[in-house]
């Protein structure tokens, strides 16, 4: 599987399909393919699909263990440059949606369109401290701890406590776009949120980007694109949205 050198990063990514590029941006606690396992086959038949592991996540390696969503947006812009991709469609889930917002605002020439799944317009910090190492240890949540150790071993060299503290800090702080940044998002945008998603609503996002398309998933939660959720409906809607973008 490929690695690419980006400044201080040795970034791991996976690639499937041919055609215009779709850059998939994963969530907190996750890594490229895990967040979008249900999109690999449906999208690879139509697009060149890139699934990077973010700074601090998965198999991406760096001496500096610091990261946040804004830093990752810069990394993703550099990633496209390194692959000589002038612009790409973005599909971001949760934290990945925030990375997508930052990219669309800061690097508009690189973002052909943006699909946001499970995003919000402001941080929701409730519950974040439950994922601090001390909280997990106190309630003896060994399964989650072992999962984080295994999932991000290369990125944090086994230092799962630092990984979780960085994740909680990012969760508590993002998205934090200024009104000017929200106004700078000019590409076609599609917001997808479950009606029971605790982390954001289509209504609040449409207040920030009124020209966007939005869909509230009936009975949906935070990850309607997952296998076992409303995956067929969401995949069909995302593919249809991308097919309508000029230049596809």
């Amino acid at each position: 599987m490929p690695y690419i050198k980006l400044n201080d990063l040795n970034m791991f990514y996976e690639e499937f399909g041919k055609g215009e590029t779709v850059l998939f941006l994963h969530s907190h606690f996750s890594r490229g393919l895990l967040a979008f396992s249900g999109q690999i086959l449906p999208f690879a038949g139509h697009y060149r699909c890139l699934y990077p592991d973010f700074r601090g996540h998965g198999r991406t390696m760096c001496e500096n263990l610091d990261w946040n969503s804004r830093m990752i947006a810069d990394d993703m812009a550099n990633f496209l440059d390194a692959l000589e991709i002038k612009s790409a469609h973005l599909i971001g889930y949760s934290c990945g949606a925030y990375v997508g917002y930052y990219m669309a605002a800061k690097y508009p020439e690189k973002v052909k369109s943006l699909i946001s799944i499970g995003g919000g317009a402001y941080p929701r910090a409730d519950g974040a401290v439950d994922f601090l190492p001390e909280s997990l240890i106190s309630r003896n949540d060994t399964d989650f701890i072992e999962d984080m150790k295994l999932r991000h071993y290369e990125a944090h060299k086994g230092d799962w406590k630092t990984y979780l503290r960085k994740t909680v800090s990012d969760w508590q702080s993002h998205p934090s776009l200024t009104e000017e940044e929200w106004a700078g998002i000019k590409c076609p945008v599609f917001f997808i949120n479950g009606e029971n998603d605790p982390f954001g609503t289509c209504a609040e996002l449409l207040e920030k980007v009124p020209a966007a398309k939005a869909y509230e998933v009936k009975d949906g939660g935070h990850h309607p694109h997952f296998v076992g959720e409303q995956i067929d409906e969401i995949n069909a809607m995302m593919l249809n949205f991308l097919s309508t973008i000029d230049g596809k």
Side-chain angles (χ1 to χ4, degrees), residues 39 78 126 209 230:
Q39 285 65 57
N78 291 334
D126 291 351
V209 189
Q230 295 89 342

Side-chain angles (χ1 to χ4, degrees), residues 64-168:
N64 180 5
L65 299 184
D66 193 25
W67 61 269
N68 60 56
S69 291
R70 286 187 179 272
M71 292 172 66
I72 292 168
D74 291 336
D75 290 337
M76 292 299 106
N78 291 334
F79 177 56
L80 293 178
D81 286 344
L83 293 179
E84 299 183 344
I85 297 169
K86 291 183 179 180
S87 64
H89 300 290
L90 309 184
I91 299 180
Y93 162 51
S94 194
C95 166
Y98 311 151
V99 172
Y101 304 160
Y102 293 133
M103 287 184 70
K106 187 173 181 179
Y107 305 100
E109 73 285 356
K110 297 183 185 299
V111 181
K112 189 168 293 184
S113 70
L114 169 62
I115 298 175
S116 159
I117 307 170
Y122 56 89
R124 262 64 165 205
D126 291 351
V129 296
D130 293 340
F131 291 87
L132 286 170
E134 297 77 12
S135 299
L136 292 165
I137 291 170
S138 69
R139 62 176 185 268
N140 198 32
D141 196 343
T142 55
D143 287 345
F144 186 82
I145 291 171
E146 290 305 312
D147 191 26
M148 292 299 102
K149 287 180 180 178
L150 178 63
R151 190 174 294 185
H152 307 291
Y153 184 82
E154 291 95 334
H156 270 286
K157 307 168 189 175
D159 185 358
W160 64 276
K161 293 182 179 180
T162 295
Y163 169 73
L164 287 172
R165 291 191 181 101
K166 293 295 180 184
T167 302
V168 168

Side-chain angles (χ1 to χ4, degrees), residues 220-241:
H222 187 50
H223 40 66
H225 67 298
F226 274 21
V227 174
E229 303 288 336
Q230 295 89 342
I231 181 172
D232 292 338
E233 174 188 13
I234 300 307
N235 281 346
M237 296 189 76
M238 292 194 293
L239 286 166
N240 181 66
F241 172 76

